Amino acid sequence: MSAVRRKLGDTYQAVGPARGGTRPERQRFVDKNGRCNVQHGNLGGESSRYLSDLFTTLVDLKWRWNLLIFLLTYTVAWLVMASMWWGIAYLRGDLHRPHDAAYSPCVANVYNFPSAFLFFIETEATIGYGHRYITERCPEGIVLFLFQSLLGSIVDAFLIGCMFIKMSQPKKRAETLMFSRAAVVSQRDGKLCLMFRVGNLRNSHMVSAQIRCKLIKSRQTPEGEFLPLDQCELDVGFGTGADQLFLVSPLTICHEINSKSPFFCLSQRSLRSEQFEIVVILEGIVETTGMTCQARTSYTEDEVLWGHRFLPVMSLEDGFFHVDYSQFHATFEVPTPPYSVKEQEENLSLSSPWNSPVDNNKTRREQVCSLECIDIAGEINKLPLKLQKISSRKEDLPRRALRMSSSNTEKTCSTGDLLKIQEISSMSDGEDSDDRIQLKALKLNVEALTQSTGDLQVQKSPPSMCALEMKLEDNFPAKLRKMNSDRLS
């Protein structure tokens, strides 16, 4: 694995800051013009596979090699065939009797090699000047003529077809498809997005245009395997159909950064130390020729601008929309959080009220009381309508009792406060309070207060819990008493 790192990782992944303060330009996987920087070497015996598909091999060659092969093929073929006609004339002795009127040669007026070459060109190009022609007394000339016609048709079909296919290739159509020089990261509709711009310079449309994005980044698997050029798909609207483009005017392609995105943990600070390359592939059918065209470009981490947005290029003129391509690559800064989407979601989860920690300044009694109030509210909602009305009219009584009991927890309590609590407890005998937990808490508070004020003599003691329960059950209707007994059981 170290050898792979030395061979690929040093040129592709190790792109730390240079000594002078600027990051060195590293080798790109795909150039800005779409050319892939990949060369195949050490094929060994597999080179013969190129000859098995000779037509595609010739089409894939550069223009200079195609022109050279085109000229050499025709030149060699013409010289070989002219030599064959000259050989027939030499073997028959036609060259020694050029002006004998009584002699009938194989090809009339062929005296030397130049005259044989001209005869071949006239026959191949079907020019037919009429001065040189084949006589009927030359069977070998007739066979050679048939062979020349068949071979010439094959060579013409092969080479001319190869040149036609190469000239009609839609690669040059990709030259009029523009991509923005940089990609931007900013918020759109409240979501952090990675965006870039694409445009079409021609009036002819791209039919069924579709765009795809690949993230190329080196990574190491949990098993220890090093992947120098790992490819990952970037969603640019595959599920919603946003990747199908109507490319009439410049469009901004958007990749939403969410939990499924490879940039889920990418922030403005981590962008400076990341090493990746985004390859953009635009495919479509050329409207004029019906051939499939593909345009490519790439963006490295240095070409991704955090907190920027593209300038608008569309304007409404008199009866048409005007596109200003001078502002096609221009961007401007916008307020954008420097945090990653992962960090923003974590901050939102910590700031939510349900996940907030309990305040340490709150007393134990306040925490218990808040939980009890939640439980009591849930129980009241489950009761019938009549009981909910009774409980709503008398719900202030337990709150007042709890407030007063919490305020009188100090040892320096007055006799008047103690008598108020006793009066409240005596009033609750005939009015309400079906909550046994609150009555128990009230009883404990009263006992604590009587212990802290040892000199005071309580004139009226609170009734027992059993008496309170009996009185409450007597005041309830029959259905309510039955429900209360079922709940207690």
Side-chain angles (χ1 to χ4, degrees):
M1 187 178 68
S2 60
V4 177
R5 285 183 182 274
R6 287 195 301 270
K7 188 174 182 180
L8 293 173
D10 293 343
T11 58
Y12 184 83
Q13 189 176 8
V15 290
R19 297 179 181 178
T22 59
R23 302 178 67 176
E25 184 179 358
R26 60 175 172 83
Q27 182 66 42
R28 306 173 72 104
F29 187 67
V30 177
D31 286 338
K32 298 295 288 184
N33 58 3
R35 186 177 65 88
C36 297
N37 293 322
V38 178
Q39 294 184 1
H40 304 282
N42 298 328
L43 296 177
E46 303 298 331
S47 301
S48 59
R49 294 177 179 266
Y50 291 103
L51 298 178
S52 62
D53 189 10
L54 185 59
F55 185 82
T56 306
T57 302
L58 293 177
V59 172
D60 290 339
L61 290 176
K62 295 182 179 180
W63 269 107
R64 54 179 175 267
W65 298 111
N66 274 105
L67 293 176
L68 180 61
I69 292 174
F70 186 86
L71 293 176
L72 288 178
T73 301
Y74 274 104
T75 302
V76 171
W78 291 345
L79 291 176
V80 170
M81 294 302 299
S83 300
M84 296 179 68
W85 285 109
W86 179 83
I88 292 177
Y90 178 79
L91 294 177
R92 287 177 56 88
D94 298 342
L95 301 178
H96 303 288
R97 290 181 293 181
H99 302 289
D100 190 355
Y103 179 74
S104 177
C106 180
V107 179
N109 300 317
V110 173
Y111 314 118
N112 48 25
F113 182 81
S115 60
F117 183 79
L118 290 176
F119 171 74
F120 167 76
I121 295 298
E122 293 175 9
T123 306
E124 180 68 22
T126 64
I127 297 174
Y129 292 112
H131 182 64
R132 299 178 180 87
Y133 55 91
I134 302 176
T135 61
E136 68 277 3
R137 297 181 182 180
C138 183
E140 59 272 19
I142 296 175
V143 174
L144 183 59
F145 174 77
L146 296 177
F147 176 74
Q148 174 187 334
S149 301
L150 293 176
L151 182 62
S153 300
I154 294 174
V155 173
D156 291 342
F158 190 84
L159 292 181
I160 295 176
C162 177
M163 297 296 292
F164 176 77
I165 293 296
K166 191 168 183 62
M167 286 188 296
S168 62
Q169 275 186 328
K171 288 184 178 181
K172 294 302 179 181
R173 178 64 176 89
E175 299 293 335
T176 54
L177 295 175
M178 290 182 60
F179 295 94
S180 59
R181 284 193 290 263
V184 298
V185 176
S186 60
Q187 285 188 332
R188 173 181 282 189
D189 298 330
K191 300 176 182 178
L192 195 66
C193 300
L194 172 71
M195 295 173 285
F196 58 91
R197 181 179 278 175
V198 59
N200 183 15
L201 298 180
R202 291 187 180 273
N203 292 327
S204 60
H205 305 314
M206 293 290 294
V207 182
S208 301
Q210 183 180 10
I211 195 163
R212 296 182 292 116
C213 292
K214 293 285 186 180
L215 175 65
I216 300 178
K217 183 179 179 181
S218 302
R219 71 181 184 92
Q220 188 170 2
T221 63
E223 295 80 12
E225 181 184 3
F226 178 69
L227 304 177
L229 298 174
D230 184 48
Q231 299 185 12
C232 178
E233 187 77 19
L234 291 181
D235 186 11
V236 288
F238 179 76
T240 59
D243 59 333
Q244 304 290 333
L245 306 181
F246 182 53
L247 198 57
V248 178
S249 61
L251 299 177
T252 300
I253 310 302
C254 177
H255 165 67
E256 179 184 344
I257 301 178
N258 49 27
S259 58
K260 298 181 180 179
S261 173
F263 299 123
F264 182 59
C265 301
L266 183 67
S267 62
Q268 186 178 10
R269 182 180 58 184
S270 63
L271 180 61
R272 303 171 185 172
S273 59
E274 285 286 339
Q275 298 94 29
F276 60 84
E277 185 174 348
I278 302 172
V279 178
V280 181
I281 304 171
L282 175 62
E283 293 180 347
I285 300 174
V286 182
E287 187 179 28
T288 54
T289 61
M291 302 183 68
T292 303
C293 174
Q294 184 181 95
R296 296 182 296 266
T297 189
S298 67
Y299 300 99
T300 59
E301 66 280 353
D302 296 332
E303 298 168 345
V304 177
L305 306 178
W306 189 280
H308 283 245
R309 189 179 298 166
F310 289 105
L311 283 174
V313 295
M314 294 285 295
S315 62
L316 180 60
E317 303 293 340
D318 295 336
F320 62 93
F321 292 93
H322 177 70
V323 180
D324 184 12
Y325 278 98
S326 63
Q327 304 293 332
F328 184 81
H329 305 285
T331 62
F332 63 98
E333 294 186 7
V334 292
T336 304
Y339 309 104
S340 65
V341 178
K342 181 180 180 181
E343 293 173 349
Q344 294 180 20
E345 292 183 357
E346 290 177 354
N347 294 335
L348 289 176
S349 62
L350 291 176
S351 61
S352 61
W354 295 104
N355 296 329
S356 60
V358 181
D359 189 2
N360 295 330
N361 296 328
K362 290 186 178 181
T363 60
R364 177 74 175 177
R365 184 183 299 278
E366 293 176 355
Q367 297 175 13
V368 174
C369 290
S370 62
L371 294 176
E372 289 179 354
C373 292
I374 294 175
D375 295 338
I376 292 170
E379 293 293 336
I380 289 175
N381 294 331
K382 296 179 181 179
L383 294 177
L385 183 60
K386 294 182 178 180
L387 184 56
Q388 292 182 12
K389 292 181 179 179
I390 297 172
S391 301
S392 62
R393 289 198 303 268
K394 302 171 184 179
E395 65 181 357
D396 295 334
L397 180 60
R399 296 179 181 175
R400 290 201 302 270
L402 290 174
R403 260 198 321 268
M404 191 168 294
S405 63
S406 62
S407 63
N408 294 329
T409 54
E410 301 177 357
K411 293 185 179 180
T412 59
C413 296
S414 63
T415 308
D417 295 335
L418 180 61
L419 293 177
K420 285 181 182 179
I421 296 175
Q422 291 178 353
E423 290 176 1
I424 291 172
S425 63
S426 61
M427 289 173 59
S428 64
D429 295 346
E431 290 183 0
D432 184 29
S433 189
D434 59 341
D435 198 333
R436 299 173 60 186
I437 300 176
Q438 295 179 0
L439 291 175
K440 289 181 181 180
L442 185 59
K443 183 178 178 181
L444 294 174
N445 291 330
V446 172
E447 291 178 358
L449 289 173
T450 54
Q451 291 177 4
S452 63
T453 58
D455 315 82
L456 299 178
Q457 299 293 332
V458 181
Q459 301 295 331
K460 190 175 181 180
S461 60
S464 62
M465 295 298 296
C466 296
L468 288 174
E469 291 178 0
M470 293 298 295
K471 288 182 179 181
L472 289 175
E473 290 180 359
D474 293 337
N475 293 332
F476 289 162
K479 293 183 178 180
L480 184 56
R481 287 199 300 271
K482 184 177 179 181
M483 292 177 59
N484 192 21
S485 61
D486 294 337
R487 188 182 62 173
L488 294 175
S489 60

